[in-house]
Amino acid sequence: RIAGCVLLMRMGGEQVLGEDAEAVRVRVAAGTSWHEFVLGCHVRGWHGLENLALIPGTVGAAPVQNIGAYGVEFAAFVEEVTALERVNGERHVFSRSDCRFGYRRSIFKEALAEQLLITDVTLRLPRRAAVQADYPALRAVLDPGVEPSPAAVLQAVLAIRRARLPDPQVLPNVGSFFHNPVI
């Protein structure tokens, strides 16, 4: 039981702000499903997010935790995060450096925790098929003799995550939320 007001972010959609041969800049509303956004990016040839597939939640939650998986972190693609102050509704735009991203942390989780409502994020996604496949779990399922494509990495991540976690559509879950030890 929660004593208080609970808000469910439903603002969805995206807007391409600019694109060239190298990358696309896209603003994504905070209520957009993270996983659906990742799949949509892959279909359109916007690369880099494949390793972050099947992470439950919304685009607006991604910067709070600086979500990451299989050697890729959300922060690598962020240009801006827009948020409103909960107390007075004042709008703020945070650059990547303003967000103070670190391993599973950000200013939204620490210094500004519970003070802001994230409304959208602006990402820069490469068009070239640069993949991150060095993570041991990925190497174990990818063909060792072939340079992995974004599609191969995406399919490997989906298979690994589906084997480790229940389908959130069948059994709701929050994914994995551990910290790897820093040695």
Side-chain angles (χ1 to χ4, degrees):
R1 180 168 228 196
I2 299 173
C5 179
V6 176
L7 301 176
L8 177 59
M9 177 60 75
R10 292 282 191 194
M11 293 171 28
E14 59 193 59
Q15 175 187 12
V16 174
L17 301 176
E19 54 188 312
D20 57 30
E22 300 295 318
V24 62
R25 290 181 62 241
V26 59
R27 179 179 298 132
V28 189
T32 302
S33 161
W34 175 257
H35 177 63
E36 294 302 319
F37 176 67
V38 170
L39 294 179
C41 289
H42 177 72
V43 167
R44 287 174 281 207
W46 306 345
H47 299 293
L49 302 179
E50 293 83 8
N51 300 51
L52 304 178
L54 267 182
I55 294 177
T58 62
V59 169
V64 176
Q65 175 80 4
N66 184 22
I67 61 173
Y70 306 107
V72 173
E73 288 188 340
F74 173 80
F77 305 96
V78 172
E79 282 197 348
E80 296 177 343
V81 175
T82 306
L84 301 176
E85 285 189 44
R86 290 183 179 185
V87 173
N88 61 18
E90 186 176 338
R91 183 178 179 269
H92 297 277
V93 179
F94 297 86
S95 68
R96 180 185 320 176
S97 63
D98 293 338
C99 294
R100 298 188 210 157
F101 289 121
Y103 178 67
R104 302 300 173 269
R105 54 183 258 277
S106 72
I107 196 170
F108 311 109
K109 186 176 178 181
E110 295 172 347
L112 297 176
E114 299 184 29
Q115 296 178 37
L116 301 170
L117 177 65
I118 295 173
T119 59
D120 60 73
V121 298
T122 300
L123 304 174
R124 179 177 169 81
L125 302 170
R127 289 186 176 278
R128 294 216 170 112
V131 297
Q132 173 58 263
D134 295 335
Y135 204 83
L138 284 177
R139 281 198 312 262
V141 298
L142 290 168
D143 186 345
V146 178
E147 182 68 28
S149 67
V153 170
L154 177 64
Q155 292 307 311
V157 168
L158 293 174
I160 293 167
R161 292 186 69 82
R162 286 179 175 139
R164 292 182 177 176
L165 294 168
D167 181 346
Q169 299 301 319
V170 175
L171 181 63
N173 68 83
V174 295
S176 59
F177 51 93
F178 61 88
H179 278 96
N180 286 321
V182 178
I183 300 174

